[in-house]
Amino acid sequence: MKNLIYILLTALICSSCYKEPIQEPFFAAEINVVHLNSSIQNIDALLADEQAFVHGLGHYEQSGYHKLPANEWVELLVTQSSQHNILKRESKQFEENQRYTLLFYSSNGGTRSLWLNDLNQTAASTAFVRIVNMVKDDKGLERKYKLKSSNDQLLLADTPADNRTGFIPTTPIPTIFTITDDSNNDISIATGLVDLKAGHQYTIIIEGNGNQITSFLLEH
């Protein structure tokens, strides 16, 4: 009987001391990597000293969104998949619940990157489109471009180099976008037919040397 009382008292004392383990909150941002460097076949992206969260990403491919720590400084590495040598090192602090796109590209023989702030929430009845101007003029002149939809509606004008903002709400219907040089209407390019979907966002990247431009459309 004494042993039973002792066991019960011990269990009561221990139960009063027990506390549920504290669950540390995980603050996350979402990152989409886009590979635009034609001189590199495949790339990986990883946090420093950790396993890659993007592996074998090919040229003109995107990774889709991956969760990374937010509200703290993190070191992000872009490496060549086959050789594992570091191509680009980034130190960045991401905001919680925000979405980002990292454009990995080359310019003037060097490796470059460009961060874009994406939309985290979009209207369910609207599509959103923006243009990112990455044209590098041989003469160092700034080239500006305007964006029109299939019905010749002007969506965006005077887009400066490395523009990082400017999502425009657009009717979610099939359309062909036309990008035209503001200073020379003879220099223009049209995208293929894009079936715009409500709640989705689209980034049109234009590249070239000013006299000849190409476009790449990214749905994300």
Side-chain angles (χ1 to χ4, degrees):
M1 186 67 179
K2 289 183 178 179
N3 289 338
L4 178 60
I5 294 174
Y6 176 79
I7 293 172
L8 291 175
L9 287 173
T10 303
L12 180 62
I13 293 172
C14 290
S15 64
S16 64
C17 296
Y18 177 79
K19 294 182 180 180
E20 289 289 336
I22 298 175
Q23 298 294 327
E24 293 293 334
F26 177 66
F27 300 106
E30 292 185 284
I31 313 300
N32 179 34
V33 180
V34 182
H35 179 11
L36 301 178
N37 190 334
S38 59
S39 62
I40 304 295
Q41 186 173 3
N42 294 316
I43 63 171
D44 299 341
L46 64 154
L47 293 177
D49 300 324
E50 294 189 18
Q51 186 176 0
F53 61 90
V54 173
H55 180 72
L57 188 66
H59 187 225
Y60 280 106
E61 291 182 350
Q62 61 173 320
S63 67
Y65 288 103
H66 293 263
K67 289 187 177 182
L68 295 184
N71 300 336
E72 61 182 78
W73 286 96
V74 297
E75 188 175 29
L76 183 69
L77 306 179
V78 178
T79 66
Q80 190 169 357
S81 297
S82 58
Q83 300 179 15
H84 305 292
N85 57 309
I86 297 175
L87 302 171
K88 188 68 177 176
R89 186 187 299 269
E90 294 276 350
S91 182
K92 190 172 179 64
Q93 186 174 31
F94 303 109
E95 294 184 23
E96 181 185 357
N97 295 326
Q98 295 302 308
R99 282 185 160 185
Y100 304 84
T101 287
L102 169 62
L103 301 180
F104 174 76
Y105 66 103
S106 61
S107 177
N108 297 325
T111 299
R112 303 285 185 267
S113 60
L114 178 65
W115 285 98
L116 304 175
N117 294 324
D118 298 341
L119 299 176
N120 188 25
Q121 296 180 342
T122 56
S125 60
T126 306
F128 294 83
V129 63
R130 69 179 168 191
I131 187 171
V132 176
N133 179 2
M134 299 179 68
V135 174
K136 302 299 180 182
D137 194 288
D138 294 337
K139 299 179 181 179
L141 301 176
E142 184 180 76
R143 307 298 285 260
K144 297 181 179 180
Y145 296 88
K146 54 190 175 186
L147 179 69
K148 289 185 177 181
S149 62
S150 295
N151 59 2
D152 209 35
Q153 178 187 3
L154 181 63
L155 299 176
L156 192 65
D158 296 331
T159 309
D162 294 340
N163 179 54
R164 305 182 185 209
T165 59
F167 272 110
I168 303 166
T170 308
T171 304
I173 59 173
T175 190
I176 297 175
F177 294 106
T178 303
I179 304 107
T180 306
D181 191 322
D182 276 2
S183 61
N184 187 348
N185 290 329
D186 292 332
I187 300 177
S188 66
I189 190 171
T191 67
L193 183 66
V194 183
D195 186 13
L196 299 177
K197 298 180 180 66
H200 288 220
Q201 53 190 307
Y202 302 82
T203 297
I204 301 175
I205 300 167
I206 57 172
E207 302 175 291
N209 59 10
N211 296 319
Q212 184 176 3
I213 60 174
T214 60
S215 70
F216 168 65
L217 186 140
L218 174 70
E219 178 181 355
H220 52 115

